[in-house]
Coordinates of all heavy atoms in Angstrom, one line a residue:
M1 N -37.4 7.6 -24.1 CA -36.0 7.3 -24.3 C -35.8 6.2 -25.3 O -36.5 5.3 -25.3 CB -35.3 6.9 -23.0 CG -33.8 6.8 -23.1 SD -33.1 6.2 -21.6 CE -33.7 7.3 -20.4
S2 N -34.9 6.4 -26.3 CA -34.8 5.5 -27.4 C -33.9 4.3 -26.9 O -33.1 4.4 -26.0 CB -34.2 6.1 -28.6 OG -32.8 6.4 -28.4
D3 N -33.9 3.2 -27.7 CA -33.0 2.1 -27.4 C -31.6 2.5 -27.6 O -30.7 1.9 -26.9 CB -33.4 0.9 -28.3 CG -34.7 0.3 -27.9 OD1 -35.1 0.5 -26.7 OD2 -35.2 -0.5 -28.7
D4 N -31.3 3.4 -28.5 CA -29.9 3.9 -28.7 C -29.3 4.5 -27.5 O -28.2 4.2 -27.1 CB -29.8 4.9 -29.8 CG -30.0 4.3 -31.2 OD1 -29.9 3.0 -31.3 OD2 -30.3 5.0 -32.2
N5 N -30.2 5.3 -26.8 CA -29.7 5.8 -25.5 C -29.4 4.8 -24.5 O -28.5 4.8 -23.7 CB -30.7 6.8 -25.0 CG -30.7 8.2 -25.7 OD1 -29.7 8.4 -26.4 ND2 -31.7 8.9 -25.6
A6 N -30.3 3.8 -24.4 CA -30.2 2.7 -23.4 C -28.9 1.9 -23.7 O -28.1 1.6 -22.8 CB -31.3 1.7 -23.5
V7 N -28.6 1.7 -25.0 CA -27.3 1.0 -25.3 C -26.1 1.8 -25.0 O -25.2 1.3 -24.4 CB -27.3 0.6 -26.8 CG1 -26.0 0.1 -27.2 CG2 -28.4 -0.4 -27.1
S8 N -26.3 3.1 -25.2 CA -25.1 4.0 -24.9 C -24.9 4.0 -23.4 O -23.7 3.9 -23.0 CB -25.4 5.4 -25.4 OG -25.5 5.4 -26.8
R9 N -25.9 4.1 -22.6 CA -25.7 4.1 -21.2 C -25.1 2.8 -20.7 O -24.2 2.8 -19.9 CB -27.1 4.3 -20.5 CG -27.1 5.7 -19.9 CD -28.2 5.8 -18.9 NE -29.4 6.4 -19.6 CZ -30.6 6.4 -19.0 NH1 -30.8 5.8 -18.0 NH2 -31.5 7.0 -19.6
R10 N -25.6 1.7 -21.3 CA -25.1 0.4 -20.9 C -23.6 0.3 -21.3 O -22.8 -0.2 -20.5 CB -25.9 -0.7 -21.7 CG -25.9 -2.0 -21.0 CD -26.8 -3.0 -21.7 NE -28.2 -2.5 -21.9 CZ -28.9 -2.8 -23.0 NH1 -28.4 -3.4 -24.0 NH2 -30.1 -2.3 -23.1
Q11 N -23.3 0.8 -22.4 CA -21.9 0.8 -22.9 C -21.0 1.6 -22.0 O -19.9 1.2 -21.6 CB -21.8 1.3 -24.3 CG -20.4 1.1 -24.9 CD -20.0 -0.3 -25.0 OE1 -20.8 -1.2 -25.5 NE2 -18.8 -0.7 -24.6
I12 N -21.6 2.8 -21.6 CA -20.8 3.7 -20.6 C -20.5 3.0 -19.3 O -19.4 3.0 -18.8 CB -21.6 5.0 -20.4 CG1 -21.5 5.8 -21.7 CG2 -21.0 5.8 -19.2 CD1 -22.5 7.0 -21.7
L13 N -21.6 2.3 -18.8 CA -21.4 1.6 -17.5 C -20.4 0.4 -17.6 O -19.6 0.2 -16.8 CB -22.8 1.1 -17.0 CG -23.7 2.1 -16.5 CD1 -25.1 1.5 -16.2 CD2 -23.2 2.8 -15.3
R14 N -20.5 -0.2 -18.8 CA -19.6 -1.3 -19.0 C -18.1 -0.8 -19.1 O -17.2 -1.4 -18.5 CB -19.9 -2.1 -20.3 CG -19.4 -3.4 -20.4 CD -19.9 -4.2 -21.7 NE -21.3 -4.4 -21.7 CZ -22.1 -4.4 -22.7 NH1 -21.6 -4.1 -23.9 NH2 -23.4 -4.6 -22.6
N15 N -17.9 0.3 -19.8 CA -16.6 0.9 -19.9 C -16.1 1.4 -18.5 O -14.9 1.2 -18.2 CB -16.6 2.0 -20.9 CG -16.7 1.5 -22.3 OD1 -16.6 0.3 -22.6 ND2 -17.1 2.4 -23.2
A16 N -17.0 1.9 -17.7 CA -16.6 2.4 -16.4 C -16.2 1.3 -15.6 O -15.2 1.3 -14.8 CB -17.8 3.2 -15.8
S17 N -16.9 0.2 -15.7 CA -16.6 -1.0 -14.9 C -15.2 -1.6 -15.3 O -14.4 -1.9 -14.5 CB -17.6 -2.1 -15.1 OG -17.3 -3.2 -14.4
A18 N -15.0 -1.6 -16.6 CA -13.7 -2.1 -17.1 C -12.6 -1.2 -16.6 O -11.5 -1.6 -16.3 CB -13.7 -2.2 -18.6
G19 N -12.9 0.1 -16.6 CA -11.9 1.1 -16.2 C -11.6 0.9 -14.7 O -10.4 1.0 -14.3
S20 N -12.6 0.7 -13.9 CA -12.4 0.5 -12.5 C -11.5 -0.8 -12.2 O -10.6 -0.7 -11.4 CB -13.7 0.3 -11.8 OG -14.5 1.5 -11.9
A21 N -11.8 -1.8 -13.0 CA -11.0 -3.0 -12.9 C -9.5 -2.8 -13.2 O -8.6 -3.2 -12.5 CB -11.5 -4.1 -13.7
A22 N -9.3 -2.0 -14.3 CA -8.0 -1.7 -14.7 C -7.3 -0.8 -13.7 O -6.1 -1.0 -13.4 CB -8.0 -0.9 -16.1
L23 N -8.0 0.1 -13.1 CA -7.5 0.9 -12.0 C -7.1 0.1 -10.8 O -6.0 0.3 -10.2 CB -8.4 2.0 -11.6 CG -8.0 3.0 -10.5 CD1 -6.7 3.7 -11.0 CD2 -9.1 4.0 -10.2
L24 N -8.0 -0.8 -10.4 CA -7.7 -1.7 -9.3 C -6.4 -2.5 -9.6 O -5.6 -2.7 -8.7 CB -8.9 -2.6 -9.0 CG -8.7 -3.7 -7.9 CD1 -8.5 -3.0 -6.6 CD2 -9.9 -4.6 -7.9
I25 N -6.3 -3.1 -10.8 CA -5.1 -3.9 -11.1 C -3.9 -3.1 -11.1 O -2.9 -3.5 -10.5 CB -5.3 -4.6 -12.5 CG1 -6.4 -5.6 -12.4 CG2 -4.0 -5.2 -13.0 CD1 -6.9 -6.2 -13.7
A26 N -4.0 -1.8 -11.6 CA -2.8 -1.0 -11.6 C -2.4 -0.6 -10.2 O -1.2 -0.6 -9.8 CB -3.1 0.3 -12.4
T27 N -3.4 -0.4 -9.3 CA -3.1 0.0 -7.9 C -2.5 -1.2 -7.2 O -1.5 -1.0 -6.5 CB -4.4 0.3 -7.2 OG1 -5.0 1.4 -7.9 CG2 -4.2 0.7 -5.7
L28 N -3.0 -2.4 -7.4 CA -2.4 -3.6 -6.7 C -1.0 -3.8 -7.2 O -0.1 -4.2 -6.4 CB -3.3 -4.8 -7.0 CG -4.6 -4.8 -6.3 CD1 -5.5 -6.0 -6.7 CD2 -4.5 -4.7 -4.8
A29 N -0.8 -3.6 -8.5 CA 0.6 -3.8 -9.1 C 1.6 -2.9 -8.5 O 2.8 -3.2 -8.4 CB 0.5 -3.8 -10.6
A30 N 1.1 -1.7 -8.1 CA 2.0 -0.7 -7.6 C 2.3 -0.9 -6.1 O 3.2 -0.2 -5.6 CB 1.4 0.7 -7.8
Q31 N 1.6 -1.8 -5.5 CA 1.8 -2.0 -4.0 C 3.2 -2.7 -3.8 O 3.6 -3.6 -4.6 CB 0.8 -3.0 -3.5 CG -0.6 -2.4 -3.5 CD -0.8 -1.3 -2.5 OE1 -0.3 -1.4 -1.4 NE2 -1.5 -0.2 -2.9
P32 N 4.0 -2.2 -2.9 CA 5.2 -2.9 -2.6 C 5.0 -4.3 -2.1 O 4.0 -4.6 -1.5 CB 5.9 -2.0 -1.6 CG 4.8 -1.3 -0.9 CD 3.7 -1.1 -1.9
A33 N 6.0 -5.1 -2.3 CA 5.9 -6.5 -1.8 C 5.8 -6.4 -0.3 O 6.3 -5.4 0.3 CB 7.1 -7.3 -2.2
A34 N 5.3 -7.4 0.4 CA 5.2 -7.4 1.8 C 6.6 -7.3 2.4 O 7.6 -7.8 1.9 CB 4.6 -8.7 2.3
A35 N 6.7 -6.4 3.4 CA 8.0 -6.2 4.0 C 8.5 -7.4 4.7 O 7.8 -8.2 5.3 CB 7.9 -5.0 5.0
A36 N 9.8 -7.6 4.5 CA 10.5 -8.8 5.2 C 10.7 -8.4 6.6 O 10.7 -7.3 7.0 CB 11.8 -9.1 4.5
M37 N 10.8 -9.4 7.4 CA 11.0 -9.3 8.8 C 12.5 -9.0 9.2 O 13.4 -9.4 8.5 CB 10.7 -10.6 9.5 CG 10.7 -10.7 11.0 SD 10.3 -12.3 11.6 CE 8.9 -12.7 10.6
A38 N 12.7 -8.2 10.2 CA 14.1 -7.9 10.6 C 14.8 -9.1 11.1 O 14.1 -10.0 11.7 CB 14.1 -6.8 11.7
Q39 N 16.1 -9.2 10.9 CA 16.8 -10.4 11.3 C 16.7 -10.6 12.8 O 16.6 -11.7 13.2 CB 18.3 -10.2 10.9 CG 18.5 -10.3 9.4 CD 20.0 -10.2 9.0 OE1 20.9 -10.1 9.8 NE2 20.2 -10.3 7.7
K40 N 16.8 -9.5 13.6 CA 16.7 -9.6 15.0 C 15.3 -10.2 15.4 O 15.3 -11.1 16.3 CB 16.9 -8.3 15.7 CG 17.0 -8.3 17.2 CD 17.4 -7.0 17.7 CE 17.5 -7.0 19.2 NZ 17.8 -5.7 19.8
A41 N 14.3 -9.8 14.8 CA 12.9 -10.3 15.1 C 12.8 -11.8 14.8 O 12.1 -12.5 15.5 CB 11.9 -9.5 14.4
A42 N 13.5 -12.2 13.8 CA 13.5 -13.6 13.4 C 14.4 -14.5 14.2 O 14.4 -15.7 14.0 CB 13.8 -13.7 11.9
G43 N 15.3 -13.9 15.0 CA 16.3 -14.6 15.7 C 17.4 -15.2 14.8 O 18.0 -16.2 15.1
Y44 N 17.6 -14.4 13.7 CA 18.6 -14.9 12.7 C 20.0 -14.9 13.3 O 20.4 -14.0 14.1 CB 18.5 -14.0 11.5 CG 19.7 -14.3 10.5 CD1 19.6 -15.3 9.7 CD2 20.8 -13.4 10.5 CE1 20.6 -15.6 8.8 CE2 21.8 -13.7 9.6 CZ 21.7 -14.8 8.7 OH 22.7 -15.0 7.9
Q45 N 20.7 -15.9 13.0 CA 22.2 -16.0 13.3 C 22.9 -16.5 12.1 O 22.3 -17.2 11.3 CB 22.4 -16.9 14.5 CG 22.0 -18.3 14.3 CD 22.0 -19.2 15.5 OE1 21.6 -18.8 16.6 NE2 22.6 -20.4 15.4
P46 N 24.1 -16.0 11.8 CA 24.8 -16.4 10.6 C 25.4 -17.8 10.7 O 26.1 -18.2 9.7 CB 25.9 -15.4 10.5 CG 26.2 -14.9 11.9 CD 24.9 -15.1 12.6
T47 N 25.1 -18.6 11.7 CA 25.7 -19.9 11.9 C 24.5 -20.9 12.0 O 23.4 -20.6 12.4 CB 26.6 -20.0 13.1 OG1 25.8 -19.5 14.2 CG2 27.8 -19.1 13.0
P48 N 24.8 -22.2 11.7 CA 23.7 -23.2 11.7 C 23.3 -23.5 13.2 O 24.0 -23.1 14.1 CB 24.4 -24.5 11.2 CG 25.7 -24.0 10.5 CD 26.1 -22.7 11.2
K49 N 22.1 -24.1 13.3 CA 21.7 -24.5 14.6 C 21.2 -25.9 14.5 O 20.3 -26.2 13.7 CB 20.5 -23.6 15.1 CG 20.0 -24.0 16.5 CD 19.1 -23.0 17.1 CE 18.7 -23.4 18.5 NZ 17.9 -22.4 19.1
D50 N 21.8 -26.8 15.3 CA 21.4 -28.2 15.3 C 21.4 -28.8 13.9 O 20.5 -29.6 13.5 CB 20.1 -28.4 16.0 CG 20.0 -27.9 17.4 OD1 21.1 -27.9 18.1 OD2 18.9 -27.4 17.8
G51 N 22.4 -28.4 13.1 CA 22.5 -28.9 11.7 C 21.6 -28.3 10.7 O 21.6 -28.6 9.6
K52 N 20.7 -27.3 11.2 CA 19.8 -26.7 10.3 C 20.4 -25.4 9.8 O 21.0 -24.6 10.5 CB 18.5 -26.3 11.1 CG 17.8 -27.5 11.6 CD 16.6 -27.1 12.5 CE 16.0 -28.4 13.0 NZ 15.1 -28.1 14.1
R53 N 20.4 -25.2 8.4 CA 21.0 -24.1 7.8 C 20.1 -23.5 6.8 O 19.3 -24.2 6.2 CB 22.3 -24.5 7.1 CG 23.1 -25.6 7.6 CD 24.2 -26.1 6.7 NE 24.6 -25.4 5.5 CZ 25.8 -25.0 5.3 NH1 26.8 -25.3 6.1 NH2 26.1 -24.3 4.2
C54 N 20.3 -22.2 6.5 CA 19.4 -21.5 5.5 C 19.4 -22.2 4.2 O 18.3 -22.2 3.5 CB 19.9 -20.1 5.4 SG 19.6 -19.1 6.9
D55 N 20.5 -22.7 3.7 CA 20.5 -23.3 2.4 C 19.7 -24.6 2.3 O 19.6 -25.1 1.2 CB 21.9 -23.4 1.8 CG 22.8 -24.3 2.6 OD1 22.4 -24.8 3.6 OD2 24.0 -24.4 2.2
T56 N 19.2 -25.0 3.4 CA 18.3 -26.2 3.3 C 16.9 -25.8 3.7 O 16.0 -26.7 4.0 CB 18.8 -27.3 4.2 OG1 18.8 -26.9 5.6 CG2 20.2 -27.8 3.8
C57 N 16.6 -24.5 3.7 CA 15.3 -24.0 4.1 C 14.5 -23.6 2.9 O 15.1 -23.1 1.9 CB 15.5 -22.7 5.0 SG 14.0 -21.8 5.4
T58 N 13.2 -23.8 2.9 CA 12.3 -23.4 1.8 C 12.4 -21.9 1.5 O 12.1 -21.6 0.3 CB 10.9 -23.9 2.0 OG1 10.4 -23.3 3.2 CG2 10.8 -25.4 2.1
F59 N 12.7 -21.1 2.4 CA 12.6 -19.7 2.2 C 13.9 -19.1 1.7 O 13.9 -17.9 1.3 CB 12.2 -18.9 3.5 CG 10.9 -19.3 4.0 CD1 10.7 -20.0 5.3 CD2 9.7 -19.0 3.3 CE1 9.5 -20.3 5.8 CE2 8.5 -19.4 3.8 CZ 8.4 -20.0 5.0
F60 N 14.9 -19.9 1.7 CA 16.2 -19.3 1.2 C 16.2 -19.1 -0.3 O 15.7 -19.8 -1.1 CB 17.4 -20.3 1.5 CG 18.7 -19.8 1.2 CD1 19.3 -18.8 2.0 CD2 19.5 -20.4 0.2 CE1 20.5 -18.3 1.7 CE2 20.8 -19.9 0.0 CZ 21.3 -18.9 0.7
K61 N 16.8 -17.9 -0.6 CA 16.9 -17.5 -2.0 C 18.4 -17.3 -2.3 O 19.0 -16.3 -1.9 CB 16.1 -16.2 -2.3 CG 14.6 -16.4 -2.1 CD 13.9 -15.2 -2.0 CE 13.8 -14.4 -3.2 NZ 13.0 -13.2 -3.1
A62 N 19.0 -18.3 -3.0 CA 20.4 -18.2 -3.3 C 20.7 -16.9 -4.2 O 19.8 -16.5 -5.0 CB 20.8 -19.5 -4.1
P63 N 21.8 -16.3 -4.0 CA 22.9 -16.8 -3.2 C 22.9 -16.3 -1.7 O 23.5 -17.0 -0.9 CB 24.2 -16.2 -3.9 CG 23.7 -14.9 -4.4 CD 22.2 -15.2 -4.9
S64 N 22.2 -15.3 -1.4 CA 22.3 -14.8 0.0 C 21.1 -13.9 0.4 O 21.2 -12.9 1.0 CB 23.6 -13.9 0.1 OG 23.5 -12.9 -0.9
S65 N 19.9 -14.4 0.2 CA 18.7 -13.7 0.7 C 17.6 -14.7 1.1 O 17.7 -15.9 0.8 CB 18.2 -12.7 -0.3 OG 17.7 -13.3 -1.5
C66 N 16.6 -14.1 1.7 CA 15.5 -15.0 2.2 C 14.2 -14.3 1.8 O 14.1 -13.1 1.8 CB 15.7 -15.0 3.7 SG 14.3 -15.8 4.5
A67 N 13.2 -15.1 1.6 CA 11.8 -14.6 1.2 C 11.1 -13.9 2.4 O 10.3 -13.1 2.1 CB 11.0 -15.8 0.7
I68 N 11.5 -14.2 3.6 CA 10.8 -13.6 4.7 C 11.6 -12.8 5.7 O 11.1 -12.2 6.6 CB 10.0 -14.7 5.5 CG1 10.9 -15.7 6.1 CG2 8.9 -15.3 4.6 CD1 10.1 -16.7 7.1
V69 N 12.9 -12.9 5.6 CA 13.8 -12.2 6.5 C 14.7 -11.2 5.7 O 15.2 -11.6 4.6 CB 14.7 -13.2 7.3 CG1 15.7 -12.4 8.2 CG2 13.9 -14.1 8.2
E70 N 14.8 -10.0 6.1 CA 15.4 -9.0 5.3 C 17.0 -9.1 5.4 O 17.5 -9.7 6.4 CB 15.0 -7.6 5.7 CG 15.4 -7.2 7.1 CD 14.8 -5.9 7.6 OE1 13.8 -5.4 6.9 OE2 15.3 -5.3 8.6
G71 N 17.6 -8.4 4.5 CA 19.1 -8.3 4.6 C 19.8 -9.5 3.9 O 19.2 -10.4 3.4
T72 N 21.1 -9.4 4.1 CA 22.0 -10.5 3.6 C 21.8 -11.7 4.5 O 22.0 -11.6 5.7 CB 23.4 -10.0 3.5 OG1 23.5 -8.9 2.7 CG2 24.3 -11.1 3.0
I73 N 21.6 -12.9 3.9 CA 21.4 -14.1 4.6 C 22.5 -15.1 4.2 O 22.6 -15.4 3.0 CB 20.0 -14.7 4.3 CG1 18.9 -13.7 4.7 CG2 19.8 -16.1 5.0 CD1 18.8 -13.4 6.2
A74 N 23.2 -15.6 5.2 CA 24.3 -16.5 4.9 C 23.7 -17.9 4.6 O 22.8 -18.3 5.3 CB 25.3 -16.6 6.1
P75 N 24.2 -18.6 3.6 CA 23.7 -20.0 3.4 C 23.9 -20.9 4.7 O 23.1 -21.8 4.9 CB 24.6 -20.5 2.3 CG 25.1 -19.3 1.6 CD 25.2 -18.2 2.7
T76 N 24.8 -20.5 5.5 CA 25.1 -21.3 6.7 C 24.3 -20.8 7.9 O 24.4 -21.3 9.0 CB 26.6 -21.1 7.1 OG1 26.9 -19.7 7.2 CG2 27.5 -21.8 6.1
G77 N 23.4 -19.7 7.7 CA 22.7 -19.1 8.8 C 21.5 -20.0 9.2 O 21.2 -21.1 8.7
W78 N 20.7 -19.4 10.1 CA 19.5 -20.1 10.7 C 18.7 -19.0 11.4 O 19.2 -18.0 11.9 CB 19.9 -21.1 11.7 CG 18.8 -21.7 12.4 CD1 18.0 -22.8 12.1 CD2 18.2 -21.2 13.7 NE1 17.0 -23.0 13.0 CE2 17.1 -22.1 14.0 CE3 18.4 -20.2 14.5 CZ2 16.3 -21.9 15.1 CZ3 17.6 -20.0 15.6 CH2 16.6 -20.8 15.9
C79 N 17.4 -19.2 11.4 CA 16.5 -18.4 12.2 C 15.3 -19.3 12.7 O 15.1 -20.4 12.2 CB 15.9 -17.2 11.4 SG 14.5 -17.5 10.5
R80 N 14.5 -18.7 13.5 CA 13.4 -19.5 14.2 C 12.3 -19.9 13.2 O 11.4 -20.7 13.5 CB 12.8 -18.8 15.4 CG 12.2 -17.5 15.1 CD 11.9 -16.8 16.5 NE 11.4 -15.5 16.2 CZ 10.1 -15.2 16.3 NH1 9.3 -16.1 16.7 NH2 9.7 -13.9 16.1
F81 N 12.3 -19.4 12.0 CA 11.3 -19.7 11.0 C 11.8 -20.8 10.0 O 11.2 -21.0 9.0 CB 10.8 -18.5 10.2 CG 10.2 -17.5 11.1 CD1 10.8 -16.4 11.5 CD2 8.9 -17.8 11.6 CE1 10.2 -15.5 12.4 CE2 8.3 -16.9 12.5 CZ 9.0 -15.7 12.9
Y82 N 12.9 -21.4 10.3 CA 13.5 -22.4 9.5 C 12.4 -23.5 9.1 O 11.7 -23.9 9.9 CB 14.6 -23.1 10.2 CG 15.2 -24.3 9.4 CD1 16.2 -24.1 8.5 CD2 14.8 -25.6 9.7 CE1 16.7 -25.2 7.8 CE2 15.3 -26.7 8.9 CZ 16.3 -26.5 8.0 OH 16.8 -27.5 7.3
N83 N 12.4 -23.8 7.8 CA 11.4 -24.8 7.3 C 12.2 -25.7 6.3 O 12.5 -25.2 5.2 CB 10.3 -24.1 6.7 CG 9.2 -25.0 6.2 OD1 8.9 -26.0 6.9 ND2 8.6 -24.8 5.1
K84 N 12.5 -26.9 6.7 CA 13.3 -27.7 5.8 C 12.7 -28.0 4.5 O 11.5 -28.3 4.4 CB 13.5 -29.1 6.6 CG 14.5 -30.0 5.8 CD 14.8 -31.2 6.7 CE 15.7 -32.2 6.0 NZ 16.8 -31.7 5.3
K85 N 13.5 -27.9 3.4 CA 13.1 -28.2 2.1 C 12.8 -29.7 2.0 O 13.5 -30.5 2.6 CB 14.2 -27.9 1.1 CG 14.5 -26.5 0.8 CD 15.6 -26.4 -0.3 CE 16.1 -25.0 -0.4 NZ 17.3 -24.9 -1.2
Q86 N 11.8 -30.0 1.3 CA 11.4 -31.5 1.1 C 12.2 -32.1 0.1 O 12.6 -31.6 -0.8 CB 9.9 -31.6 0.8 CG 9.0 -31.0 1.9 CD 9.2 -31.7 3.3 OE1 9.3 -32.9 3.4 NE2 9.4 -30.9 4.3
Ligands
LIG1 S1 16.3 -20.2 8.2 FE1 15.0 -20.0 6.4 S2 13.5 -18.4 7.0 FE2 15.2 -18.2 8.4 S3 16.6 -16.7 7.5 FE3 17.3 -18.8 6.8 S4 16.3 -19.0 4.9 FE4 15.2 -17.4 5.9

């Protein structure tokens, strides 16, 4: 076997590896974001609890959503995963 063949095979393996990485990245990019939790499961309520409100929680996304609880989230709401912004 000549060195040219060895280089060619090496190049083919290198290209296949790069292709696999590209395929993996494309597959991961196509994955949906982690599903948010149902409001009921989170114990969500549209009113504050003990002065704690969604708009002071790290997970709140203005104007009316949450990173971990699905659906419309009121700035005045609360759930058991409340985590005060620092
Ligand atoms: S308290 Fe925080 S985690 Fe719970 S619904 Fe409101 S913003 Fe989301």
